[in-house]
C-alpha cells in the first residue's frame, strides 16, 4: 500500500507541473512524451525504495526449551510466536476495486465493438483505432479528415490510451489518472491538428461542424470532441512557443 501511495503522489506532482508549466506550450509531441514518461517514472521510481543492496546476514535464534513434569509425563515446550492471520481490509477493498475496474473495461470494449461493428447511429463516423483509419468519404472535407486521422494511426496514439486504460485498472481510486487520460488525448488531437491544418480558419470551422456529430469513445481517437473543442482551437491559433521553453522539461527532470 505504501508503494501505491508514493506512486500516486508522484503522479499528482508530475500532473501539477504539467498544468502549471507545460500545458500551454505548443510542443505537443514533447508534452505527449512527458505524460507517458512521467507515468512510467511514477510507478518505477518508488520501486527503488524496496531494493535492499545491503549484505543480508542470516540470524539464528536458539529457542528456549522448558522441561516440565506433569503426572509423570515429561513435556518439552519450545518457545514460539503465535501468528494470528488477520484480514487486511485495505487490500481486500483495493482488490475488489481492481476487479470491478477490469470488468468495466471489458464491458466498455464489448460495447465499443458492438457500436462500431453494428453501424449504430451514435457511432463516430471519423475515427482511428490503433492502425486502422475510418473516414466518412461522403464528408465535404474527407481528405483533410483523413490526413488528421492518419497522424493518429502513424504515431500509434491508440496504444498510448490503451496503456493508460490498463494503469487505470490498478489506480481506480486516483482521479489524477483520469486527468492524465484526458490530457494525453488532448495532446494527440493537437498533434494531428498541427499536421492537418493548412488553412487554419477553414480547419477551425470544420472542427466546430464535426464536433456537433461526434462523441468520444474508449481507446478511439475521434476527429473532434466537444469538451476539448475550445482549447484545441485556441492552441491551433496560438503563436508557436519559443525553443528556449524546452528547458522547462529539463528543469522538471
Amino acid at each position: 500500500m505504501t508503494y501505491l501511495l508514493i506512486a500516486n503522489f508522484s503522479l499528482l506532482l508530475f500532473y501539477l507541473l504539467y498544468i502549471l508549466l507545460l500545458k500551454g506550450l505548443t510542443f505537443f509531441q514533447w508534452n505527449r512524451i512527458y505524460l507517458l514518461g512521467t507515468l512510467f517514472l511514477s510507478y518505477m521510481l518508488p520501486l527503488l525504495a524496496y531494493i535492499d543492496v545491503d549484505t543480508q546476514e542470516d540470524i539464528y535464534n536458539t529457542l528456549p526449551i522448558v522441561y516440565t513434569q506433569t503426572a509423570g509425563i515429561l513435556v518439552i515446550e519450545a518457545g514460539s510466536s503465535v501468528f494470528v492471520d488477520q484480514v487486511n481490509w485495505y487490500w481486500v477493498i483495493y482488490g475488489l476495486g481492481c476487479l470491478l475496474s477490469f470488468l468495466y473495461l471489458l464491458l466498455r470494449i464489448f460495447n465499443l465493438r458492438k457500436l462500431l461493428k453494428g453501424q449504430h447511429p451514435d457511432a463516430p463516423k471519423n475515427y482511428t483505432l490503433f492502425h486502422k483509419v475510418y473516414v466518412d468519404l461522403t464528408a465535404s472535407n474527407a481528405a483533410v479528415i483523413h490526413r488528421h486521422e492518419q497522424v493518429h494511426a502513424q504515431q500509434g496514439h491508440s496504444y498510448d490510451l490503451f496503456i493508460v486504460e490498463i494503469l487505470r485498472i490498478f489506480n481506480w481510486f486516483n482521479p489524477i489518472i483520469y486527468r492524465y487520460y484526458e490530457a494525453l488525448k488532448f495532446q494527440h488531437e493537437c498533434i494531428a491538428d498541427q499536421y492537418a491544418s493548412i488553412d487554419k480558419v477553414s480547419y477551425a470551422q470544420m472542427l466546430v461542424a464535426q464536433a456537433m456529430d461526434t462523441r468520444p469513445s474508449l481507446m478511439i481517437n475521434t476527429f473532434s470532441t466537444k469538451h476539448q473543442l475550445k482549447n484545441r482551437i485556441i492552441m491551433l491559433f496560438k503563436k508557436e512557443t519559443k525553443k528556449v521553453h524546452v528547458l522547462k522539461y529539463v528543469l522538471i527532470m
Side-chain angles (χ1 to χ4, degrees):
M1 188 59 69
T2 303
Y3 165 77
L4 285 174
L5 291 175
I6 295 173
N8 282 278
F9 178 78
S10 175
L11 201 65
L12 171 62
L13 178 61
F14 280 128
Y15 182 74
L16 289 176
L17 289 172
Y18 164 76
I19 293 296
L20 293 173
L21 300 176
L22 306 178
K23 185 180 179 181
L25 304 183
T26 60
F27 301 137
F28 307 124
Q29 202 68 259
W30 276 97
N31 281 346
R32 176 197 177 194
I33 294 171
Y34 172 85
L35 290 169
L36 290 173
T38 51
L39 274 174
F40 175 79
L41 288 174
S42 293
Y43 294 108
M44 292 302 296
L45 288 180
L47 290 177
L48 297 177
Y50 294 89
I51 298 176
D52 191 355
V53 295
D54 295 334
T55 303
Q56 299 295 326
E57 296 181 359
D58 295 328
I59 301 176
Y60 299 93
N61 291 323
T62 303
L63 299 177
I65 298 177
V66 180
Y67 297 89
T68 60
Q69 182 109 19
T70 305
I73 300 174
L74 182 64
V75 179
I76 301 176
E77 299 177 355
S80 60
S81 300
V82 178
F83 294 94
V84 180
D85 292 330
Q86 296 181 346
V87 177
N88 192 327
W89 291 106
Y90 292 107
W91 285 109
V92 172
I93 295 172
Y94 173 72
L96 287 174
C98 291
L99 177 61
L100 291 175
S101 297
F102 175 68
L103 294 176
Y104 181 54
L105 176 60
L106 292 181
L107 178 63
R108 292 160 65 204
I109 292 175
F110 174 78
N111 290 336
L112 174 63
R113 185 173 179 273
K114 184 178 178 181
L115 182 70
L116 299 179
K117 196 171 183 180
Q119 295 300 316
H120 194 277
D122 290 336
K125 296 179 181 179
N126 307 294
Y127 63 92
T128 302
L129 183 59
F130 296 106
H131 286 296
K132 293 185 178 181
V133 174
Y134 299 87
V135 175
D136 181 11
L137 297 178
T138 62
S140 58
N141 297 290
V144 178
I145 296 173
H146 183 268
R147 187 161 60 245
H148 174 102
E149 298 298 339
Q150 193 66 34
V151 175
H152 290 315
Q154 290 174 348
Q155 298 195 10
H157 291 169
S158 291
Y159 293 99
D160 296 355
L161 301 180
F162 181 72
I163 291 172
V164 183
E165 287 286 356
I166 297 300
L167 289 176
R168 279 164 64 165
I169 294 175
F170 302 100
N171 298 273
W172 53 268
F173 56 89
N174 187 358
I176 297 300
I177 194 72
Y178 299 91
R179 303 303 301 171
Y180 251 82
Y181 187 88
E182 293 301 322
L184 195 55
K185 244 188 165 183
F186 178 70
Q187 295 302 322
H188 289 166
E189 295 305 323
C190 289
I191 291 170
D193 291 341
Q194 196 174 46
Y195 279 93
S197 58
I198 299 174
D199 183 345
K200 292 185 178 181
V201 175
S202 61
Y203 188 84
Q205 293 173 343
M206 183 180 60
L207 282 180
V208 175
Q210 289 291 326
M212 298 302 103
D213 192 34
T214 308
R215 63 183 238 176
S217 300
L218 171 71
M219 288 182 292
I220 278 188
N221 292 98
T222 51
F223 183 73
S224 185
T225 53
K226 297 175 186 177
H227 70 288
Q228 290 183 346
L229 180 62
K230 179 182 176 181
N231 290 331
R232 284 178 61 187
I233 292 177
I234 290 174
M235 297 307 292
L236 183 66
F237 288 95
K238 190 170 184 178
K239 186 178 179 181
E240 187 175 348
T241 305
K242 294 181 180 179
K243 301 296 182 182
V244 69
H245 288 279
V246 173
L247 293 175
K248 288 183 178 181
Y249 299 96
V250 180
L251 177 64
I252 290 174
M253 288 301 104

